[in-house]
Amino acid sequence: METDTDNSQPNESTPQKNNSRGLSFRKLAVFVTATLVLIGVALFLLDRFFIPYLEDGNSLVSRAWKEDTWKIAQMSYQRWNSPNGCSILQSNGIPVPENKTRSRRILVAGDSFGAAFGLVNVNEVWWRALQRELIRRGYNDVEIIGISSGHLGSTAGQIEQIERWAPKYHPDAVLFGYVVDDSEELDGGNYIVPHLTRYDPDATERVIRRVARSVVPNIAEVYISRQDRQENSKLSGPDHGYDYDQRELELLKGKNIERYQKTLDRMSSLFKQWNLPCYVITLPCVAGFYPEFDLTRNSAEYVEHVHDYYKQRYDSIAPYFARANLPFINLIEPYIAMLKSEPQMKGANSVAVLCATPADGHPSNLVTHFYANEVADFLEKKNPSLLGKRSNVVKKFPLKINDWMPPNTNLFRISDGNYVFLMPAQPAGQLFMPVRQPHVQLNFEMPTELKTLRLRGPGLKQSTVWLTSEDPEDGYDRRILHKLDTKKGNDVSWTLPAGGWSEHVNTVKISAIVKGPDNRIIITF
């Protein structure tokens, strides 16, 4: 008898396939998660370390320099006092009485180039650099003062301010610092050549930018800056106004240049009426106003670009000054010669040495020192009587701080070599770059010798100090930071190395931790 036997085995293939699929999904999830983590870590390292490293080497501009440049720009104007709306540039550290303090007085007129816009040290603006240079040459009987019509100051605006204030301040001569957009003119309260209405991202893009800046702020800033420049270049034209570079050329055309000729004729007539010497000095700097996009350009190539850029603009405007019988001192050729011979222009990423900051196209101390030298040479040759009597050249100068940043540091002189200042309570209200620590900066009127430095204050807990010095041969500060040891305590001192850079200290940067309501610090040299 046959028995039916069920020889079938359990079907295990289905659960095996399910397990295999589950395992594959888990592996994929782990892989995706690990990849995202690695990408996140890479972005974090790129954003927090690598980009700041490139920024410190002047290879690019990111958030730190962008924010500090904006901060410095605001502080640059806050440093000036304007009693009764006066446009003569004067501050708590640089008072300018109406009556002369020396036998000769030269008034320098300008826009933001004259107002020390973007400069942490006011003594690096070109008319203060000229004062320093004349003192170095033994001209101690002439004072240089400045007048500015503001950030967007035109020649027409400068003349209005000079008409109002020059008679009260009795200059013996006037120098105009000519910047290539000074020829802008108004018609019915509006610029004949309009400024660009800049790119405005839509609501979605603004949200994306806000998120990106909060997550990867440095990467976001680099990308957004480049995108904005591209979009602004597309917009530049008669419909939306002109971007900076293109606008400079449009100012030399049509109705605007015709109106500017009338301004120059008026300017010439005014100085003939006053019987005052007047000289117009060109102020070449970087090509355009966006140095951050040129930082890595080949130096020799960039210098040629600067030459062509300014030559085109100066050659076009010079005939209009000639028709008005105004002396037009064109510095472009000696400027290019200086750039070609300057050691700092030989290295990588050298464009930054020409700028107030890597994100600001206003002239650096190297450039303003060049202006000062050229103008001093010119005055010595063409009108030496303006410089007064020459005396013995002084090699060492008395210690005097005449400028400080931020302006609300409110520095006050107690006695010779002793000053008291306030450390701003919030780090956001202090300078940050290039040391990447919140700090204040104190600036000497003339480079001075320091042997010791002492800080004390009731709330002082920790201090770090950096100093820069002026090269006695070159005559300007190369921005080389000499860092002193960080010290803790409410009364700390440093002894500086004898000789060398400590004999010509130009600026002092101080980063300090202060606790409690009393944020006063006394500094003794």
Side-chain angles (χ1 to χ4, degrees):
M1 181 176 179
E2 296 183 0
T3 305
D4 290 333
T5 305
D6 188 358
N7 294 322
S8 64
Q9 299 295 322
N11 188 355
E12 296 179 356
S13 61
T14 301
Q16 284 179 350
K17 289 181 180 180
N18 289 337
N19 289 341
S20 176
R21 290 172 183 169
L23 183 59
S24 298
F25 178 79
R26 286 195 296 273
K27 286 182 178 179
L28 178 62
V30 169
F31 174 77
V32 170
T33 302
T35 301
L36 291 175
V37 169
L38 287 174
I39 291 173
V41 170
L43 285 174
F44 177 83
L45 294 174
L46 177 66
D47 186 78
R48 299 303 198 274
F49 297 97
F50 188 62
I51 287 185
Y53 168 78
L54 294 177
E55 188 172 33
D56 289 343
N58 294 326
S59 295
L60 52 76
V61 169
S62 189
R63 186 169 185 170
W65 264 126
K66 285 277 190 180
E67 290 184 347
D68 227 43
T69 296
W70 174 252
K71 195 184 303 182
I72 293 167
Q74 308 311 306
M75 293 177 183
S76 299
Y77 283 130
Q78 293 167 9
R79 66 157 51 104
W80 300 117
N81 300 328
S82 301
N84 301 315
C86 182
S87 297
I88 297 292
L89 295 167
Q90 51 194 305
S91 66
N92 293 337
I94 307 177
V96 183
E98 291 185 2
N99 295 322
K100 300 176 188 176
T101 61
R102 303 173 194 179
S103 68
R104 298 288 189 274
R105 174 178 275 180
I106 297 175
L107 176 63
V108 175
D111 57 0
S112 56
F113 275 46
F117 191 88
L119 292 172
V120 178
N121 184 356
V122 75
N123 299 302
E124 293 174 353
V125 69
W126 82 269
W127 55 271
R128 284 293 307 159
L130 176 60
Q131 180 78 79
R132 279 183 162 193
E133 182 58 30
L134 292 174
I135 290 173
R136 285 190 200 95
R137 299 185 186 199
Y139 296 107
N140 296 298
D141 203 27
V142 57
E143 60 178 333
I144 312 298
I145 63 174
I147 186 169
S148 176
S149 55
H151 174 45
L152 297 175
S154 62
T155 303
Q158 293 164 31
I159 293 171
E160 288 180 7
Q161 298 303 320
I162 287 173
E163 280 187 298
R164 181 178 180 186
W165 298 108
K168 294 185 178 182
Y169 284 84
H170 317 291
D172 297 294
V174 177
L175 307 179
F176 278 83
Y178 176 76
V179 180
V180 284
D181 66 344
D182 282 354
S183 57
E184 61 185 8
E185 293 283 345
L186 294 171
D187 184 25
N190 297 314
Y191 288 110
I192 294 173
V193 180
H195 289 272
L196 177 67
T197 301
R198 296 193 172 276
Y199 172 64
D200 184 20
D202 59 29
T204 301
E205 188 173 345
R206 285 197 294 270
V207 170
I208 293 172
R209 289 184 171 196
R210 194 177 304 119
V211 172
R213 280 174 163 148
S214 65
V215 178
V216 282
N218 292 308
I219 294 173
E221 200 60 55
V222 172
Y223 173 78
I224 290 169
S225 295
R226 280 160 172 72
Q227 182 188 28
D228 283 350
R229 190 188 189 196
Q230 291 175 354
E231 296 298 333
N232 287 330
S233 296
K234 296 175 186 177
L235 291 173
S236 184
D239 294 335
H240 301 281
Y242 296 94
D243 204 359
Y244 191 89
D245 299 6
Q246 188 178 357
R247 185 171 184 268
E248 292 172 347
L249 297 174
E250 296 298 322
L251 293 173
L252 303 173
K253 301 176 183 177
K255 185 177 181 180
N256 189 84
I257 197 63
E258 293 173 4
R259 184 72 58 86
Y260 191 59
Q261 182 69 74
K262 294 178 180 178
T263 294
L264 296 181
D265 293 340
R266 175 184 164 210
M267 174 178 166
S268 179
S269 176
L270 177 67
F271 287 104
K272 286 179 181 177
Q273 176 187 334
W274 285 350
N275 195 29
L276 273 183
C278 168
Y279 303 103
V280 179
I281 317 293
T282 67
L283 304 179
C285 187
V286 294
F289 218 69
Y290 307 100
E292 62 188 280
F293 301 109
D294 291 320
L295 291 178
T296 57
R297 287 185 67 167
N298 174 270
S299 178
E301 173 192 296
Y302 183 72
V303 169
E304 289 305 318
H305 173 54
V306 170
H307 176 266
D308 296 344
Y309 184 95
Y310 283 103
K311 190 175 188 306
Q312 178 186 15
R313 287 154 174 78
Y314 293 160
D315 286 353
S316 298
I317 199 68
Y320 295 92
F321 283 94
R323 290 183 195 123
N325 294 313
L326 289 167
F328 185 74
I329 317 305
N330 189 346
L331 297 184
I332 184 56
E333 297 303 336
Y335 180 63
I336 295 303
M338 182 276 288
L339 294 185
K340 288 181 177 180
S341 63
E342 170 57 41
Q344 290 190 93
M345 289 297 294
K346 307 296 184 186
N349 308 334
S350 55
V351 175
V353 305
L354 307 178
C355 315
T357 78
D360 187 332
H362 286 87
S364 69
N365 50 352
L366 165 64
V367 178
T368 59
H369 174 66
F370 162 80
Y371 302 156
N373 263 312
E374 291 294 318
V375 173
D377 289 346
F378 173 81
L379 293 175
E380 280 186 323
K381 182 179 180 180
K382 296 294 185 180
N383 203 337
S385 63
L386 284 176
L387 303 179
K389 185 178 179 180
R390 195 170 190 174
S391 56
N392 293 330
V393 175
V394 177
K395 295 293 185 181
K396 293 190 176 182
F397 303 99
L399 189 154
K400 181 182 178 182
I401 296 174
N402 71 337
D403 183 51
W404 48 92
M405 277 289 205
N408 63 359
T409 300
N410 293 335
L411 181 132
F412 178 80
R413 178 179 174 273
I414 302 171
S415 60
D416 289 347
N418 286 277
Y419 294 83
V420 62
F421 64 91
L422 302 179
M423 200 70 191
Q426 298 299 323
Q430 301 177 37
L431 303 169
F432 183 72
M433 295 295 284
V435 297
R436 292 191 179 271
Q437 291 185 40
H439 65 278
V440 302
Q441 180 167 310
L442 313 180
N443 305 312
F444 293 106
E445 182 178 58
M446 296 292 292
T448 190
E449 181 178 10
L450 294 184
K451 295 182 178 180
T452 61
L453 189 155
R454 179 186 179 192
L455 296 176
R456 51 202 162 101
L460 183 62
K461 301 299 180 184
Q462 180 175 298
S463 309
T464 306
V465 176
W466 300 261
L467 302 102
T468 68
S469 64
E470 186 176 275
D471 187 312
E473 294 186 7
D474 294 336
Y476 71 96
D477 187 336
R478 289 181 175 271
R479 300 178 177 175
I480 298 172
L481 293 168
H482 303 279
K483 184 179 180 181
L484 305 183
D485 294 337
T486 298
K487 295 194 174 184
K488 295 182 178 181
N490 62 4
D491 189 339
V492 293
S493 300
W494 294 264
T495 299
L496 275 63
W501 64 264
S502 64
E503 294 182 351
H504 308 278
V505 176
N506 194 40
T507 69
V508 181
K509 291 179 179 288
I510 302 167
S511 179
I513 297 175
V514 178
K515 301 293 186 181
D518 193 340
N519 60 342
R520 291 175 300 170
I521 296 178
I522 296 174
I523 185 168
T524 302
F525 301 103

